[in-house]
Amino acid sequence: MAQNNKNEIAKIESKVKEIYTAMVVKDKDVLEDLTLEKLSYGHSNGKIENKSEYVDGVLNGSFQFTSITPIDQTISIVDDVGIVRHVFNGEGINNGMPAKVNIGCLLIFQKGNGNWKLLARQAFKL
């Protein structure tokens, strides 16, 4: 049982990396594949987006990431729900100017058909 849990935690960790890489390289297909249709994506400023708004924001928004690194990440699993917490450390270009992001982040993944997908995300100011 413990080994199975470690395997599932590793799978979720991999999904976090895949999502953040897709945000940097603007890979629409990966973003859509790794998120559920009922996605609720909360930003640190209080703005909430659905799946299509989130994907469009990554592809066409004013902030374009050049790097995203999760720091001090923890992952726990309860049944078919994965709970991820970390500090979201990112760099990018915001309206043409270099910018850095350092926020807290909670991600909720749900497992269905053997795959972990992002159901919810809430960022908060540190």
Side-chain angles (χ1 to χ4, degrees):
M1 183 93 119
Q3 183 62 36
N4 188 37
N5 198 40
K6 285 182 182 179
N7 289 341
E8 293 303 313
I9 286 172
K11 288 178 185 178
I12 294 170
E13 185 175 28
S14 176
K15 296 300 180 187
V16 172
K17 289 177 185 175
E18 288 179 54
I19 288 171
Y20 288 163
T21 298
M23 288 173 67
V24 171
V25 301
K26 299 182 187 179
D27 190 327
K28 179 180 181 180
D29 292 336
V30 171
L31 292 172
E32 288 183 343
D33 183 55
L34 295 178
T35 54
L36 290 167
E37 288 305 314
K38 297 285 186 178
L39 177 69
S40 176
Y41 193 91
H43 294 270
S44 63
N45 65 2
K47 181 179 180 181
I48 306 292
E49 294 175 325
N50 63 29
K51 180 175 180 168
S52 64
E53 292 166 332
Y54 159 68
V55 172
D56 183 62
V58 170
L59 300 177
N60 304 306
S62 62
F63 198 107
Q64 299 302 306
F65 285 101
T66 56
S67 71
I68 301 171
T69 305
I71 300 171
D72 296 330
Q73 182 165 271
T74 62
I75 300 172
S76 60
I77 297 173
V78 178
D79 298 324
D80 68 343
V81 174
I83 302 164
V84 180
R85 290 185 175 275
H86 58 238
V87 174
F88 179 105
N89 185 272
E91 294 185 12
I93 305 297
N94 188 16
N95 292 314
M97 300 295 295
K100 293 185 178 189
V101 177
N102 193 59
I103 54 177
C105 202
L106 167 69
L107 301 144
I108 305 295
F109 285 82
Q110 186 172 32
K111 187 174 185 180
N113 298 325
N115 295 312
W116 291 100
K117 295 193 178 198
L118 185 62
L119 173 62
R121 182 250 201 190
Q122 184 60 59
F124 51 92
K125 295 177 182 173
L126 295 176

